[in-house]
């Protein structure tokens, strides 16, 4: 039950390029793409830059974040293979408001503005999916804002681990315990708390046999207990 709620309330709908296109449209899109391999920790785009195309994450994971006045990151989503990046600013003709940075070695395709806009103008299916995606993302933004305003740090951590579980789950494998590899700094920037508080709460979850940890790795053992802590029932 909690998985469906998470997908409906917190999953950004930016996978509109990964399915639903006709054979001809896919062929045209592929003809426009240029793929690059990014090392872990590489910045794909920065706040203030103007876009000249969109990015499609083929393999790997990317964090999207903003920077506070103190330079601290606020990570608001983790993108996985199949998701598009940077299209909001391209459509609005405004500079990027955020940063995109790889969490691991990743393969990312770039589609120039001219090619993407041509496909968008000619494909009714893509236009409809993009509009639906943008509308859903507004709902996700409202839900995420509510979480930070109303939930405790413990509840936010439980929810963050559930969201990351969805991101790190191997497709169609719901039986194997999910292993999340993420730095404590990045996790604290997702939850919005100090690293010391995060480490203490992770220790509590470990003592309760909800998770296991080894270095940067966090293994989710009892996701339903996390859902209960996050008040997701």
């Amino acid at each position: 039950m909690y998985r469906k709620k998470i997908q409906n309330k917190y999953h950004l709908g930016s996978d509109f390029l990964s399915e639903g296109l006709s054979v001809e449209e896919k062929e045209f899109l592929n003809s426009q793409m240029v793929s690059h391999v990014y090392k872990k920790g590489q910045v794909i785009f920065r706040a203030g830059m103007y876009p000249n195309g969109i990015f499609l994450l083929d393999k790997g994971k990317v964090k999207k974040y903003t920077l506070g006045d103190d330079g601290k990151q606020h990570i608001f989503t983790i993108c996985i293979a199949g998701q598009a990046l940077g299209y909001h600013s391209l459509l609005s003709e405004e500079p990027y408001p955020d940063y995109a940075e790889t969490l691991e070695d990743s393969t990312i395709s770039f589609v120039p503005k001219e090619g993407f806009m041509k496909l968008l103008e000619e494909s009714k299916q893509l236009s409809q999916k993009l509009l639906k995606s943008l509308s859903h993302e507004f709902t996700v933004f409202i839900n995420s804002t509510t979480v930070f305003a109303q939930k405790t740090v413990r509840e936010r951590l439980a929810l963050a681990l559930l969201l990351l579980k969805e991101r790190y789950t191997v497709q169609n494998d719901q039986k194997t315990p999910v292993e999340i590899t993420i730095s404590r700094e990045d996790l604290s920037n997702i939850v919005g708390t100090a690293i010391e508080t995060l480490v203490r709460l992770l220790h509590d979850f470990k003592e309760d046999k909800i998770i296991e940890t080894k270095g940067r790795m966090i293994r989710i053992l009892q996701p339903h207990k996390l859902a209960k802590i996050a008040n997701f029932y």
Side-chain angles (χ1 to χ4, degrees):
M1 180 186 294
Y2 75 87
R3 292 191 68 240
K4 187 173 182 180
K5 282 188 176 181
I6 283 179
Q7 291 167 355
N8 289 338
K9 294 184 67 174
Y10 299 102
H11 173 66
L12 289 175
S14 52
D15 50 1
F16 53 85
L17 283 176
S18 61
E19 58 182 29
L21 298 180
S22 68
V23 174
E24 293 77 11
E25 289 167 346
K26 287 181 179 179
E27 289 178 350
F28 174 78
L29 184 63
N30 290 334
S31 73
Q32 300 294 305
M33 286 183 179
V34 179
S35 294
H36 299 279
V37 175
Y38 289 77
K39 294 297 184 182
K40 175 184 174 182
Q42 264 191 277
V43 175
I44 303 163
F45 56 76
R46 302 175 183 273
M49 292 174 54
Y50 277 87
N52 55 7
I54 68 167
F55 299 87
L56 182 62
L57 182 54
D58 300 315
K59 180 182 178 183
K61 293 181 179 65
V62 169
K63 65 179 179 180
K64 296 193 72 184
Y65 60 91
T66 56
L67 289 179
D69 293 337
D70 57 357
K72 185 176 177 62
Q73 294 181 9
H74 167 56
I75 301 173
F76 58 88
T77 192
I78 304 293
C79 299
I80 58 175
Q83 292 188 270
L85 312 171
Y87 57 93
H88 302 86
S89 297
L90 183 69
L91 294 172
S92 65
E93 299 183 338
E94 296 177 343
Y96 296 116
D98 54 4
Y99 296 75
E101 180 181 329
T102 55
L103 281 171
E104 59 191 42
D105 292 351
S106 303
T107 303
I108 301 172
S109 294
F110 177 74
V111 183
K113 176 180 179 179
E114 294 76 14
F116 177 69
M117 296 306 293
K118 184 178 188 311
L119 181 60
L120 186 59
E121 290 171 3
E122 296 179 356
S123 174
K124 182 178 180 181
Q125 175 78 0
L126 179 58
S127 300
Q128 291 175 339
K129 290 190 68 176
L130 178 57
L131 182 60
K132 183 178 180 180
S133 176
L134 291 170
S135 300
H136 175 68
E137 287 185 16
F138 179 73
T139 301
V140 171
F141 171 76
I142 296 299
N143 290 334
S144 299
T145 302
T146 302
V147 164
F148 271 83
Q150 298 180 354
K151 287 187 180 294
T152 66
V153 175
R154 188 168 185 264
E155 290 170 338
R156 295 203 304 267
L157 174 58
L159 179 57
L161 290 174
L162 287 175
L163 291 169
L164 288 169
K165 174 184 177 295
E166 294 302 307
R167 288 290 184 246
Y168 281 80
T169 295
V170 177
Q171 189 174 12
N172 299 324
D173 183 1
Q174 295 298 321
K175 295 182 179 180
T176 305
V178 176
E179 295 184 356
I180 299 166
T181 304
I182 190 170
S183 71
R184 298 299 180 261
E185 181 179 9
D186 278 342
L187 185 53
S188 69
N189 289 336
I190 292 173
V191 176
T193 191
I195 293 180
E196 295 79 8
T197 302
L198 174 79
V199 171
R200 176 175 56 80
L201 289 171
L202 287 176
H203 179 266
D204 291 346
F205 287 175
K206 187 175 180 179
E207 288 290 301
D208 291 337
K209 307 269 192 265
I210 298 172
I211 64 171
E212 289 180 346
T213 62
K214 184 177 181 181
R216 291 159 53 100
M217 186 274 293
I218 300 173
R219 181 180 291 115
I220 307 295
L221 300 178
Q222 300 191 64
H224 286 84
K225 284 196 174 182
L226 288 176
K228 186 175 181 180
I229 292 170
N231 290 319
F232 229 63
Y233 286 116

